[in-house]
Amino acid sequence: MATVEKMPMLAEGYDKLSTELKRLRAERPLIVDAIEEARAHGDLSENAEYHAAKERQGQIEASISDIEDKLSRAQIIDPTTLSGDKIVFGATVTLFDEDDKPVRYQIVGQTEADANAGRISYNSPLGRALIGRRVDDEVEVTVPSGDRYYLVSKIEFI
């Protein structure tokens, strides 16, 4: 029997996905109307509006399915309820890079990741390397630009 893999995410990420799902569901009737209008224009084989509307309908349905799947497998984690001395999902970590510059990341779910905002996925190379580490651990990560080295300076659950 196959098990359904839970998808950890923060409440914020869950809310964002729920909002996107509502928006896509609201767009469904508009696409149906666009298809009907384009169909009324006659020959479907050369009707660009019809084909564009059908393609958009397929994209929306695929996105809705994907989001519904993620939400059904969601395991919402509140980092403020966590504690300990190891890096886990939801932890905010301060690292020193090779130049002793501090960098700060929060370990989040795949749908919430945004490296520019300091949020990295637990599935990213750095995220995987950090999980389970403690303060003063050295971390080596292989990324497309080469090997990077970090020192774990601080672990917070905020």
Side-chain angles (χ1 to χ4, degrees):
M1 184 172 159
T3 59
V4 177
E5 182 184 336
K6 288 289 186 188
M7 180 173 266
M9 63 180 66
L10 303 176
E12 177 185 323
Y14 186 89
D15 293 343
K16 191 174 176 183
L17 280 177
S18 296
T19 301
E20 177 66 4
L21 182 61
K22 286 178 188 159
R23 187 190 69 73
L24 289 171
R25 285 181 174 161
E27 194 175 335
R28 268 179 170 163
L30 303 175
I31 294 298
V32 170
D33 291 345
I35 291 171
E36 288 301 318
E37 184 179 322
R39 189 178 281 153
H41 292 201
D43 184 13
L44 298 181
S45 65
E46 295 181 17
N47 188 333
E49 290 172 4
Y50 174 78
H51 292 291
K54 287 297 279 183
E55 185 174 326
R56 179 67 184 141
Q57 183 183 38
Q59 292 169 342
I60 287 174
E61 293 304 323
S63 293
I64 287 173
S65 272
D66 183 50
I67 292 172
E68 285 175 340
D69 174 59
K70 287 175 181 169
L71 291 175
S72 71
R73 295 185 297 126
Q75 178 183 4
I76 299 172
I77 295 175
D78 179 1
T80 60
T81 64
L82 303 173
S83 64
D85 62 349
K86 285 186 178 179
I87 298 172
V88 295
F89 181 93
T92 300
V93 185
T94 304
L95 309 168
F96 285 109
D97 65 11
E98 295 153 345
D99 302 323
D100 281 335
K101 285 194 291 195
V103 290
R104 190 170 178 195
Y105 294 113
Q106 182 176 27
I107 311 295
V108 297
Q110 295 165 308
T111 59
E112 305 162 286
D114 179 0
N116 294 332
R119 301 170 74 119
I120 59 170
S121 168
Y122 68 96
N123 266 345
S124 69
L126 181 56
R128 284 194 309 266
L130 289 173
I131 298 289
R133 300 297 181 123
R134 301 176 196 281
V135 171
D136 292 330
D137 280 359
E138 291 182 9
V139 180
E140 178 184 351
V141 183
T142 302
V143 291
S145 60
D147 290 345
R148 305 276 310 189
Y149 299 91
Y150 297 97
L151 176 68
V152 179
S153 168
K154 187 162 136 187
I155 301 170
E156 302 171 281
F157 299 98
I158 50 177

